[in-house]
Structures are given as structure tokens and as C-alpha cells.
Amino acid sequence: MQNLRWGILGTGRIARGVAPKIQAAKGCEVVAFASRDPARAAEAARESGLVEDADASALEYDALLERDDVDAVYVTLINSLHAEWCIRALEAGKHVVCEKPLCATLAEARAIFDAARESGRVCVEGFMHLHHPQSQRLRELASGAGSPIGRLRAIRCFRDVMNTDEYILSTRLSHAMEGGAVMDIGCYPISIARFVTGEEPGDDLRAEASFSPPRPGETGRVDETCRFSWTFPSGVTFEGGCSFAREHRVLLELEGERGTVVSAFPFSPDLDVAEPLLVNGAPEVWNDRGDKFTHQFERVALAVRGEAEVLLSPEWSIGQARTIERIHSQIGLRFGGQP
Ligand SMILES: NC(=O)c1ccc[n+]([C@@H]2O[C@H](COP(=O)([O-])OP(=O)(O)OC[C@H]3O[C@@H](n4cnc5c(N)ncnc54)[C@H](OP(=O)(O)O)[C@@H]3O)[C@@H](O)[C@H]2O)c1
């Protein structure tokens, strides 16, 4: 069977880092790179070593969508361009994986999946860690049925980092580019909590944040640190947060009636560490710690061929966008053309 042929929109850090992982995915190959500046696309193509003729494989965004030899598009642009380019790619008949977060608002998420339905194409939000077997294991441990921690009572999950990298902060702290801690890193704890429970946050969702100063040339500010909490309909409570300005703390805790699961690597399940998960204090050892991005692209290729369901459904990503919008609303942050 012919490989799914991927074109990559954007030539930033994630685009360049993930290109070889797409190539390594069964049933996938990278055939084109696109940038606002075709010279940068050619440089990314050459650097990747994945295409024979780097110049012929390097395009502007629009031109990549017109290429008949591109079946699927990996959207790696700044957050504020995700919805527009997902929709344009889907309307051009391409399947899409869009980097997290798919978008900032419920309305945009609905528009993206309307476009996917109308074009009959697959569109998946790129939460790569959820595609790794460790996240499947977390879901089993959270399910209560036969779990060594018993019935799940509470989830705590944080992603705090001390970020001083000006390249990163120039986009992550930009209001115009739809940055902020929740968009960039808070979406991970939210994704884990919603994924392992399969539930949506209840009416008691609360959030509070501290804000960074506006970026040069901007007036809008974004959240630098945010804390959020809610109760799921099953009664499981969730406490989470994210920060660009706090000491490093990446942590997941699942608290059950009879024990706990703790992980310092919930978003990096493919790191080769001795204790990826501690279940009631004992490390679980994994034999297959395959790359999380490769797992993701393999699953999407299977879904495109009709051999598997997508792992993250349209409804799941619409729920993710709704949750982000609710948190933003609580902290007074508006994006995506919201009034
Ligand atoms: N899954 C993960 O582990 C992970 C990790 C990091 C980032 N991400 C996500 O991936 C996306 C990109 O992150 P990144 O770290 O790769 O960022 P980045 O290095 O800044 O790349 C973003 C790309 O967007 C394009 N772009 C279009 N308009 C732009 C503008 N006005 N200013 C700056 N760039 C613009 C640029 O590509 P051209 O100049 O070539 O057009 C740029 O290279 C974000 O949504 C982020 O949340 C995911």
C-alpha cells in the first residue's frame, strides 16, 4: 500500500524535530515543507535529508496545499494560525494533524471539524503523549475496574517550567499569536485529565492566573501562570496548572480509594527513565517506550486507511477547546475573534 505522503506547514522547532519521526512512522513519508519564506522551507528540507530534491519540495503554505503528491498536512504554525490553516488544508482535500492546542475557542474547533466532515478527511489534534501506550495504561489505572488503586477519586497534574528562552517567549507570551501558559503547556494537564476520565469538566470549573506584561508592539497580555480545578460528573476532582515562571514541576498524580499512581513524565512517556510510573510506590517497567510522535502518525495513517479509529475524536478535541475557552473566560482572556 502507498505511504501517506506528508507536507509540513511551518519550519520552526517542532516541524524540524518531528519530521524524522513522521518518516519513521509505518505507512508515512515526508514529501514537502512549507514556509512563509520558501528559502527557509528549502533549508528545512535539506536539513531533514528526507527528500531528494529540497528545492522542488519547498513551497509556500498555499502552494503546498495545491500539490497532488501531498495527502496529509502537519500544521506546526503559531497557535493563532491553526484554525485557518487546518480549514484550508481540509478544504483542499488533505488529512490533517495539527499541533496542540488545536485552537482557543469552541467556535473554531466546531468550524475545523465541520470542514473535516464536509471534506471526508481525518483531522487529529497533535497530543502526541496521549498516543503513547503509557497514556493507555493511565486510562486503565484510572478506570477503577481491577485497578490496583481502586476507584479513582482525584487527579492532580501540573506543568510548571521556568522559561527564559527569548525565542520561545516571543511567541508563547504573545497575545496576537494566541500564546499564554494554558495554550502552550496547560493544555497538557487538561488533556490527561479529560483523556483518562473520558469526562468533561463540571459546572464548578474555576481558574485564576497571573499575567505577563504585553510583548513589544502589543497591548494584550497573556497568562504566565494559571491554576484551574473542577469536578468531573463522576465525582473525580481535578486540580491542575501551568507556568512559564515557576520552578520546574511536572507531575501527575492519580489518587484512588486504595492507592496512587505518580508520574514525573506524563507528557514524555518515551523518555528512557527507570520510573516512568509509580503504582502504589512500585515502578512499572516498560519494554516498548517507542517515540510518542511516531505512535501518533502511525495511528493517524491507520485511521486514514480505515483500519483504526482516530484516538482523539472530533468530540474530544471540541471538548478540549471548550475547556480552554472556559478557563480563559474565568481569567478574562479573549482570543480567536471573541468579542
Ligand atoms: N507537541 C509538542 O511537543 C510541541 C512542542 C513544541 C511546540 N508545539 C506546538 O507547535 C506549534 C509551533 O511551535 P514551535 O515551537 O515549533 O514554534 P516556532 O519554532 O516559533 O515555529 C512556529 C512557526 O510558525 C510559522 N509562523 C507563521 N507566522 C508566524 C509569525 N507571525 N511569527 C512566527 N512564526 C510564524 C513559522 O514558520 P515559517 O516561518 O517557516 O513560515 C514558524 O517557524 C505551536 O502550536 C506549539 O504549541 C508542540
Side-chain angles (χ1 to χ4, degrees):
M1 182 154 322
Q2 192 187 347
N3 280 338
L4 191 63
R5 298 165 299 178
W6 288 89
I8 303 181
L9 285 193
T11 56
R13 286 195 181 169
I14 198 72
R16 292 178 194 236
V18 173
K21 298 171 179 187
I22 301 175
Q23 189 79 12
K26 277 190 239 59
C28 296
E29 68 180 297
V30 176
V31 297
F33 292 79
S35 170
R36 290 168 295 170
D37 174 359
R40 200 158 45 246
E43 178 206 301
R46 249 189 309 281
E47 180 191 285
S48 77
L50 299 176
V51 291
E52 264 176 36
D53 183 343
D55 291 316
S57 308
L59 305 149
E60 292 189 46
Y61 302 163
D62 270 324
L64 184 141
L65 300 189
E66 287 167 15
R67 283 276 285 254
D68 290 337
D69 63 349
V70 171
D71 308 308
V73 170
Y74 177 35
V75 177
T76 72
L77 306 176
I78 51 173
N79 297 339
S80 53
L81 295 179
H82 286 186
E84 174 189 348
W85 284 96
C86 283
I87 291 171
R88 290 173 76 157
L90 291 161
E91 286 176 349
K94 311 301 183 192
H95 303 282
V96 170
V97 167
C98 179
E99 261 308 330
K100 46 56 60 179
L102 181 66
C103 54
T105 67
L106 179 58
E108 287 171 311
R110 285 187 173 141
I112 291 168
F113 290 109
D114 283 350
R117 197 181 50 251
E118 279 159 29
S119 66
R121 297 296 184 266
V122 168
C123 177
V124 173
E125 185 169 15
F127 276 117
M128 68 299 162
H129 59 292
L130 300 180
H131 286 84
H132 190 276
Q134 176 174 293
S135 297
Q136 196 53 48
R137 176 66 180 140
L138 287 172
R139 193 143 73 168
E140 279 167 25
L141 289 164
S143 71
S147 168
I149 67 168
R151 202 170 70 83
L152 185 64
R153 285 204 302 221
I155 303 173
R156 284 176 286 278
C157 190
F158 295 88
R159 187 164 194 171
D160 291 349
V161 292
M162 181 63 77
N163 206 329
T164 54
D165 180 337
E166 181 50 31
Y167 173 84
I168 296 271
L169 294 179
S170 68
T171 54
R172 278 24 175 215
L173 292 184
S174 163
H175 184 274
M177 296 184 202
E178 300 188 353
V182 169
M183 289 291 277
D184 194 47
I185 46 182
C187 58
Y188 287 95
I190 297 166
S191 75
I192 288 257
R194 294 182 56 257
F195 182 77
V196 303
T197 57
E199 295 186 88
E200 297 297 335
D203 293 340
D204 63 343
L205 180 150
R206 295 286 174 271
E208 54 186 44
S210 57
F211 284 73
S212 62
R215 294 294 300 172
E218 295 190 14
T219 50
R221 301 180 310 154
V222 294
D223 51 312
E224 188 176 58
T225 296
C226 188
R227 296 291 182 247
F228 32 83
S229 62
W230 59 74
T231 308
F232 286 109
S234 60
V236 172
T237 59
F238 173 61
E239 228 184 292
C242 50
S243 179
F244 293 133
R246 298 253 175 115
E247 286 307 319
H248 181 90
R249 179 169 68 140
V250 175
L251 179 70
L252 169 69
E253 287 176 3
L254 304 181
E255 181 193 313
E257 282 175 340
R258 293 201 307 273
T260 56
V261 176
V262 178
S263 177
F265 307 96
F267 317 121
S268 312
D270 46 358
L271 284 184
D272 190 12
V273 293
E275 299 182 348
L277 291 182
L278 287 172
V279 180
N280 294 333
E284 276 206 357
V285 179
W286 289 77
N287 295 324
D288 168 15
R289 307 207 62 75
D291 183 87
K292 57 192 174 182
F293 289 98
T294 299
H295 278 296
Q296 170 179 276
F297 284 95
E298 285 181 356
R299 178 68 177 257
V300 171
L302 287 175
V304 165
R305 290 205 293 268
E307 293 170 21
E309 294 291 312
V310 290
L311 180 76
L312 303 178
S313 67
E315 294 70 31
W316 188 89
S317 285
I318 287 170
Q320 182 78 7
R322 183 191 294 110
T323 305
I324 289 175
E325 186 175 314
R326 288 180 66 193
I327 291 172
H328 282 163
S329 163
Q330 288 255 333
I331 63 174
L333 189 54
R334 293 190 187 290
F335 284 139
Q338 288 174 300

